[in-house]
Amino acid sequence: MNQTPILPFMNDNDFLDIIKLTFDKALEAKVKAENNIHKNVIDPFLMIFEMSGFELNEEQWLKNEKTRQAQKTLSNHIGLFHQKCIGAINGWIDLGTKEIVDVVHHEKRIIAEIKNKYNTVKQSDLIGIYSTLENLVMPKTQKYKGYTSYYVEIIPRKPHRFNECFIPSNNKTGDHPPRNELIRRIDGASFYELVTNDKQALAKIYNVIPIAIQRLYPNLTKIDTTQVKRYFTRAYG
């Protein structure tokens, strides 16, 4: 008897492979944080204020600090998680690290640079991303000439959707680049909708991640999905 697909727009094996890769990175980050907790000198002043302010004992504080260090490492891989998910959807290609942008769909003539969160890139560096995208889609000699390029913020600053011209300011001059319909900025939920034609695509992925993890690692404690779903709502409205 065939199982119901985990997601309607992605092969189960592809999705499970991506989940395993990302989950293994989480485990690696955890082990690294536990082994290297004292590699960088712990700020004893910060420690004592945190222990006092948050009413933590030393064991609790160390656990929190290990989690914080592991989270910094893992967060770098979440953008890659989305890159691989999109690359596993029909027609899309994950370009890995061999190209300047992350994914492409040649028939739709779309390229995208994917960042996990709105503050992954400093505001002062956004103009550089704009210039990169402009140089890929505007010159006649470029293979992506005429493609629509997207700067994707998977997690936006505010919980609302947008798909707009990308016109970051130049912090050195205060000027803005010219409006160009081929150079766009978009939130994660809207980009997944563009990729899949499913308005709820990103929510569906989020909701089935615990199911996929449980299938891969059945001995793990199950996540209470009713609790974590509200955080998705806070991020996307």
Side-chain angles (χ1 to χ4, degrees):
M1 183 176 179
N2 293 330
Q3 286 184 317
T4 302
I6 299 172
L7 289 164
F9 44 77
M10 195 185 308
N11 177 274
D12 279 7
N13 289 334
D14 290 339
F15 185 62
L16 290 171
D17 285 347
I18 295 167
I19 292 293
K20 186 177 187 307
L21 174 66
T22 309
F23 189 84
D24 287 350
K25 291 295 183 182
L27 295 181
E28 289 175 17
K30 177 184 176 183
V31 171
K32 182 179 178 181
E34 289 174 345
N35 293 338
N36 297 335
I37 184 67
H38 296 291
K39 185 175 182 180
N40 294 319
V41 177
I42 290 174
D43 184 335
F45 297 94
L46 175 63
M47 177 183 180
I48 199 167
F49 279 107
E50 286 185 341
M51 288 176 64
S52 300
F54 294 103
E55 299 183 14
L56 304 173
N57 60 34
E58 181 187 8
E59 182 180 355
Q60 292 169 327
W61 183 88
L62 282 171
K63 182 177 180 180
N64 288 350
E65 178 64 10
K66 290 174 184 177
T67 300
R68 184 190 67 80
Q69 291 188 17
Q71 187 181 59
K72 287 176 64 178
T73 301
L74 179 59
S75 65
N76 295 328
H77 295 286
I78 300 302
L80 183 62
F81 165 81
H82 289 290
Q83 178 178 337
K84 289 189 173 297
C85 279
I86 291 165
I89 295 169
N90 187 41
W92 290 85
I93 300 171
D94 170 14
L95 296 172
T97 58
K98 62 185 178 182
E99 297 243 6
I100 299 173
V101 288
D102 296 321
V103 294
V104 62
H105 193 300
H106 290 296
E107 290 184 8
K108 293 184 177 181
R109 294 172 62 80
I110 293 174
I111 58 173
E113 174 71 10
I114 300 169
K115 300 299 181 185
N116 184 50
K117 199 173 181 182
Y118 67 89
N119 60 357
T120 302
V121 178
K122 294 188 296 184
Q123 287 293 313
S124 58
D125 293 337
L126 292 178
I127 192 67
I129 293 177
Y130 175 94
S131 297
T132 297
L133 297 177
E134 181 183 44
N135 289 335
L136 288 173
V137 302
M138 296 306 293
K140 292 181 179 179
T141 55
Q142 285 286 5
K143 63 180 177 180
Y144 300 126
K145 164 67 177 173
Y147 281 44
T148 301
S149 61
Y150 288 88
Y151 169 57
V152 185
E153 296 175 347
I154 294 294
I155 301 175
R157 182 183 296 275
K158 296 180 180 180
H160 66 84
R161 296 191 174 203
F162 54 86
N163 181 352
E164 60 195 16
C165 285
F166 182 37
I167 45 175
S169 63
N170 187 321
N171 68 312
K172 294 181 180 179
T173 66
D175 297 330
H176 291 267
R179 182 184 181 90
N180 188 332
E181 293 293 338
L182 295 182
I183 306 172
R184 308 189 65 79
R185 172 177 165 265
I186 191 171
D187 71 279
S190 296
F191 190 68
Y192 269 98
E193 180 182 357
L194 184 153
V195 168
T196 63
N197 294 316
D198 184 341
K199 191 172 184 178
Q200 299 302 319
L202 184 55
K204 289 177 179 178
I205 289 174
Y206 183 80
N207 290 337
V208 299
I209 288 173
I211 296 171
I213 291 175
Q214 199 66 39
R215 186 179 295 187
L216 289 166
Y217 306 95
N219 294 326
L220 288 178
T221 302
K222 289 185 178 181
I223 295 173
D224 185 345
T225 56
T226 58
Q227 291 183 347
V228 299
K229 282 181 181 179
R230 67 174 179 263
Y231 291 93
F232 183 91
T233 302
R234 287 176 182 174
Y236 297 100

